């Protein structure tokens, strides 16, 4: 495809979104209920799919929002690169994962998924195509509207395409279990990719050079295991890392991060904490960017 | 707000009469400010006005009053006093910014954070520290040393620049290649908004509810409010660090090595490049044993666990040899490593050996286009009879062309600006961006349309106006004035006083 044809894909998406009636975007519906279901009867659109360009030597990829994480990582994997968007279902789309804004279980090592977005092209409430950020790995030109899009549940704009930063696939990647207090590991492991704890057993993912993985595991008394534990799906809590140790019931906590995955029957099901005193500001942002509340009506990322 | 008010119009038309009126008006303002925060925190002498009228760029504005708050409540009182009296305000850290971000326009009140310099709390288990905005970058990392942690963004100006400035500019540094820029290292920000209210953006728990207003604030260059407390993320110090100096006869071999290292799957902690002129001045200053006859050198830092680092060192060696490296020197100990970095960090100052003045640029290009754009930079500098020196964050394609000159030469500034404009355009033509870390401020404000459409800019301004509808927080920065949409009341775009030297 030529550059002009690429632009026409975005333009067609903008056309489909239109300028006035309520509209919601659907990806693979893997996290469809987060933040509420879109209002009844709202028109559904799908973002375009496909990798637009991939530059392994730049470690960046330009990809349409409807592309699945699975197919993206397959392509990147050919060059031993990846985006660490750990999803349970590989059919989840790039746009969906970013709009929901929940990082995967390797956040401890790779950071928040929002930090992988270099540029975002989206359609705003009045149907204009907006581009924010820049295509290079480093950029501070203008306001960082990309950050605003991540986690917004499509309530500020519908993402058409993004430029993402990639990282190398580690040469070794291995799961272990540990019987002791996970706090010991938190302090003594350098850059563990994931430490998960269910109140009883601790699972650890070590990634990097083979020999480092072995020596770290040996030093801390970790036992090799098949793979990641089953992650409870019923709810998700947001805590400080130090607040995880009083948890009871069916849960799996991300040590050092503070995300807690909880199962059916857990007392708490959601626990995001408000950005103190800023609620009116969040509302004002929404009102300013989508005064008619036409983008994903019914969904709300604000407490 | 006051930018369209009678006082400003007078200032820009009949300057003498305006001076008197302005004087009167300022004395009222000073009185109110003194009542609010105490006389020792308010300075309005000519010397202070002069000192705070510029940052580290060549731009100069006009300030009215300089305030030195001690706490958040002081900042709130200052902001409220400003708005009540029709003045805008500009937050200022250490004034090391290079894009004119802290340069006051239209007699804005300066809010200098130098006295708000406490590291309030270090919480290792939760991985954060609460700091006040005036804490200097290097002081923070020193304070974290006993905990085996550091603050990852390390601008070359780290001895002088403030965390508040780092947050406002989303600053980078050599080690941001692997660790990410400031935005990835800030968890929460307490902000005094233009209406004097305090809000907390972001949070200390894993997934704060709502939009990522924290991420929006980082890099907003003081236009969304004043950061009064910042929760920074702590980064564990790596167990092993290796620093390599690669010496190339041909500059293009150095540039090719940069993208080949990345393509080989190694993301160094830092990957810096210096051209021949840079090596010469740096070596004369630092005596670090830099090869002064090299066409280019790369400073590569690898960190992590022992075996991974050892493997990466070998990969870098192999790639460098494939690109005709002349020698590879691995720093034997911390002392040697510090010496090599001392050279790099002081490179800008060392340029004074060539010419008394310099203009430091900041653009980013794709790594694979480094050599092409570097050649363009030399060609442009030659054409304008300026001396170009290049020392930059090569790993992320972040160019820092330095144009060295002597300001006593008549007309030289015109050449410096014209050359700068061409460098910016050459970077954009190569698929790059306006700024990698210094920001837009005033310097590049009017270049924004080269990178963004009018719809993009209107969208940015729409978001900005949610925070500061009256445009009183660091007005006239970042977004060119023509970007206002019709639905923004109160912005007529008249009465702006643009300082001398601004690229308009
Ligand atoms: C020799 C030299 C080397 C440099 N190297 C680098 C480098 O490697 N990487 C890099 O990124 N930059 C570099 N810089 C640029 C500069 O040091 C950074 O931008 C730095 O973060 C600015 O900090 P400051 O405290 O000096 O901010 P100032 O210059 O005082 O202000 C910069 C901006 O921040 C705003 N601001 C300051 N404090 C606050 C606050 N509390 N709340 C809201 N807004 C605020 C100001 O209004 C202004 O817009 C360099 C500069 C020099 C002179």
């Amino acid at each position: 495809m030529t550059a002009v044809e690429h632009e026409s894909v975005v333009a067609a998406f903008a056309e489909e979104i239109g300028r006035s009636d309520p509209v919601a975007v659907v990806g693979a519906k893997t996290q469809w209920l987060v933040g509420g279901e879109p209002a009844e009867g709202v028109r559904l659109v799908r973002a375009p799919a496909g990798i637009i360009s991939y530059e392994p030597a730049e470690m960046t990829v330009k990809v349409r929002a409807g592309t699945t994480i699975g197919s993206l990582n397959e392509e990147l994997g050919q060059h031993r690169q990846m985006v660490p968007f750990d999803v349970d279902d590989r059919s989840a789309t790039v746009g969906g994962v970013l709009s929901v804004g929940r990082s995967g279980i390797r956040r401890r090592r790779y950071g928040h998924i929002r930090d992988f977005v270099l540029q975002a092209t989206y359609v705003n409430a009045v149907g204009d195509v907006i581009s924010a950020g820049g295509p290079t790995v480093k950029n501070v030109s203008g306001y960082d509207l990309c950050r605003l899009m991540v986690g917004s549940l499509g309530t500020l704009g519908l993402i058409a395409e993004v430029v993402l930063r990639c990282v190398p696939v580690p040469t070794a990647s291995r799961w272990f279990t540990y019987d002791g207090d996970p706090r010991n590991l938190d302090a003594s492991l350098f850059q563990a990719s994931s430490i998960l704890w269910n109140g009883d057993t601790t699972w650890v993912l070590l990634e990097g050079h083979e020999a480092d993985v072995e020596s770290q595991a040996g030093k801390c008394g970790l036992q090799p295991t098949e793979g990641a534990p089953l992650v409870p799906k019923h709810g998700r809590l947001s805590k400080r890392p130090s607040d995880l140790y009083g948890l009871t019931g069916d849960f799996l906590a991300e040590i050092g991060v503070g995300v807690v995955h909880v199962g059916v029957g857990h007392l708490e099901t959601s626990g995001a904490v408000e950005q103190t005193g800023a609620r009116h500001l969040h509302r004002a942002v929404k009102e300013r960017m989508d005064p008619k509340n036409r983008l994903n009506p019914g969904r709300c990322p604000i407490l | 707000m006051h930018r369209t008010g009678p006082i400003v119009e007078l200032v820009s038309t009949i300057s003498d009469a305006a001076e008197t009126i302005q004087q009167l008006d300022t004395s009222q303002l000073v009185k109110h400010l003194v009542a609010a925060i105490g006389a020792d925190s308010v300075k309005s002498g000519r010397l202070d006005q002069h000192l705070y009228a510029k940052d580290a760029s060549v731009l100069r504005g006009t300030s009215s009053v300089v305030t030195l708050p001690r706490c958040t409540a002081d900042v709130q009182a200052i902001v409220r006093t400003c708005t009540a009296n029709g003045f805008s305000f500009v937050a200022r850290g250490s004034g090391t910014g290079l894009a004119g971000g802290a340069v006051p326009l239209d007699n804005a009140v300066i809010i200098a954070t130098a006295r708000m310099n406490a590291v309030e709390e270090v919480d290792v288990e939760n991985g954060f520290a609460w700091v006040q905005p005036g804490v200097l970058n290097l002081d923070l990392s020193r304070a974290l040393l006993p905990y085996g942690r550091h603050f990852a963004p390390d601008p070359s100006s780290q001895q002088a620049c403030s965390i508040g400035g780092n947050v406002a500019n989303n600053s980078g540094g050599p080690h941001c290649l692997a660790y990410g820029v400031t935005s990835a290292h800030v968890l929460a920000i307490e902000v005094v908004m233009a209406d004097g209210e305090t809000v907390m953006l972001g949070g200390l728990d894993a997934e704060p509810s709502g939009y990522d207003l924290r991420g929006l604030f980082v890099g907003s260059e003081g236009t969304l409010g004043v950061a009064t407390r910042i929760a920074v993320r702590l980064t564990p110090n790596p167990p092993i660090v290796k620093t390599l100096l690669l010496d190339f006869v041909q500059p293009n071999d150095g540039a090719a090595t940069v993208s080949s290292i990345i393509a080989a799957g190694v993301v160094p902690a830092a990957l810096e490049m210096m051209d021949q002129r840079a090596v010469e001045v740096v070596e004369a200053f630092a005596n670090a044993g830099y090869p002064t006859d090299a066409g280019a050198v790369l400073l590569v830092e690898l960190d992590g666990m022992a075996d991974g680092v050892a493997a990466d060192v070998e990969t870098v060696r192999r790639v460098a040899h494939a690109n005709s490296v002349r020698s590879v020197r691995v720093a034997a100990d911390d002392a040697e490593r510090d010496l090599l970095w001392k050279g790099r960090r002081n490179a800008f100052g060392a340029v004074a050996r060539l010419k008394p003045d310099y203009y430091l640029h900041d653009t980013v290009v794709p790594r694979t286009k480094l050599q092409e754009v570097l050649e363009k930079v030399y060609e442009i500098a030659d054409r304008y009879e300026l001396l170009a020196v290049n020392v930059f964050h090569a790993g992320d394609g972040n160019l820092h062309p330095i144009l060295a000159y002597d300001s006593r030469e008549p007309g030289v500034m015109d050449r410096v600006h014209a050359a700068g404009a061409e460098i910016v355009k050459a970077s954009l033509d190569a698929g790059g961006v306006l700024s990698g870390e210094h920001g837009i401020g005033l310097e590049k404000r009017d270049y924004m349309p080269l990178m963004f459409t009018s719809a993009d800019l209107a969208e940015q301004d729409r978001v900005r106006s949610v925070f500061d509808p009256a445009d009183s927080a660091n007005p006239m920065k970042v977004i060119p004035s023509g970007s206002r949409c019709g639905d923004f009341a109160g912005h007529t775009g008249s009465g702006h006083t643009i300082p001398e030297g601004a690229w308009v």
Side-chain angles (χ1 to χ4, degrees), chain A residues 58 122 143 212 236 238 288, chain B residues 205 207 223 308 367-368 488:
Chain A
E58 298 296 337
Y122 63 90
Y143 294 88
D212 289 331
R236 186 172 170 110
S238 165
R288 196 68 203 258
Chain B
D205 62 319
E207 295 178 327
T223 62
R367 301 181 249 249
T368 44
F488 299 123

Side-chain angles (χ1 to χ4, degrees), chain B residues 91 93-98 101 155-157 161-162 165-166 168-169 171-172 221-222 225 227 437:
Chain B
S94 307
T96 69
L98 288 160
S156 306
S157 52
C161 65
S162 71
N166 296 168
N169 282 355
S171 299
E221 304 192 37
E437 54 182 26

Side-chain angles (χ1 to χ4, degrees), chain A:
Chain A
M1 256 194 235
T2 64
V4 176
E5 285 168 320
H6 280 306
E7 272 180 33
S8 72
V9 173
V10 177
F13 183 49
E15 183 101 345
E16 196 188 347
I17 291 164
R19 297 185 173 268
S20 53
D21 67 321
V23 58
V25 64
V26 57
K29 288 204 168 182
T30 62
Q31 298 186 84
W32 186 246
L33 297 178
V34 176
E37 248 184 302
E40 224 172 292
V42 59
R43 191 163 58 88
L44 293 181
V45 295
R46 275 178 195 279
I51 294 172
I52 299 165
S53 58
Y54 171 37
E55 304 285 343
E58 298 296 337
M59 279 199 176
T60 60
V61 63
K62 185 170 189 176
V63 63
R64 296 205 181 93
T67 313
T68 67
I69 302 292
S71 64
L72 174 60
N73 271 332
E74 207 161 288
E75 175 71 23
L76 303 179
Q78 315 245 327
H79 294 268
R80 295 205 57 78
Q81 293 180 10
M82 62 175 183
V83 286
F85 293 8
D86 301 316
V87 289
D88 315 312
D89 184 337
R90 289 162 44 86
S91 69
T93 62
V94 170
V97 169
L98 290 174
S99 294
V100 172
R102 291 178 167 180
S103 305
I105 55 170
R106 289 185 292 175
R107 174 172 164 187
R108 191 190 155 91
R109 167 73 176 265
Y110 294 103
H112 200 292
I113 57 171
R114 65 187 173 219
D115 294 325
F116 286 81
V117 184
L118 303 173
Q119 185 173 45
T121 302
Y122 63 90
V123 180
N124 72 4
V126 294
D128 286 342
V129 175
I130 304 295
S131 202
T136 52
V137 286
K138 204 174 184 187
N139 170 39
V140 293
S141 314
Y143 294 88
D144 197 348
L145 304 185
C146 299
R147 294 289 173 287
L148 211 48
M149 298 309 293
V150 178
S152 68
L153 296 169
T155 59
L156 303 178
L158 306 188
I159 305 175
E161 57 189 45
V162 287
V163 176
L164 300 175
R165 187 166 65 81
C166 317
V167 291
V169 173
T171 44
S173 176
R174 215 151 295 150
W175 281 97
F176 300 88
T177 53
Y178 178 69
D179 292 334
D181 189 328
R183 272 168 279 207
N184 302 335
L185 298 181
D186 194 26
S188 56
L189 288 172
F190 179 71
Q191 287 186 343
S193 293
S194 193
I195 303 180
L196 304 172
W197 179 67
N198 69 358
D200 193 22
T201 304
T202 305
W203 287 263
V204 182
L205 177 64
L206 295 180
E207 296 185 307
H209 194 269
E210 182 82 49
D212 289 331
V213 168
E214 290 306 324
S215 70
Q216 288 227 80
K219 190 184 75 182
C220 296
L222 307 182
Q223 302 300 317
T225 186
E226 287 294 291
L230 222 57
V231 179
K233 296 266 167 305
H234 188 65
R236 186 172 170 110
L237 318 180
S238 165
K239 305 222 173 250
R240 291 188 195 187
S242 62
D243 290 342
L244 301 174
Y245 300 98
L247 288 164
T248 53
D250 179 14
F251 74 89
L252 192 69
E254 297 184 23
I255 301 297
V257 175
V259 170
V260 187
H261 309 265
V262 299
V264 186
H266 200 276
L267 293 179
E268 296 174 84
T269 50
S270 75
V273 174
E274 181 191 347
Q275 302 179 44
T276 324
R279 187 183 310 196
H280 65 286
L281 205 53
H282 293 261
R283 294 240 163 84
V285 167
K286 168 69 179 174
E287 270 157 33
R288 196 68 203 258
M289 292 181 77
D290 181 17
K292 296 195 179 120
N293 189 26
R294 67 172 290 245
L295 301 177
N296 279 289
R299 295 202 190 284
C300 185
I302 313 163
L303 255 193

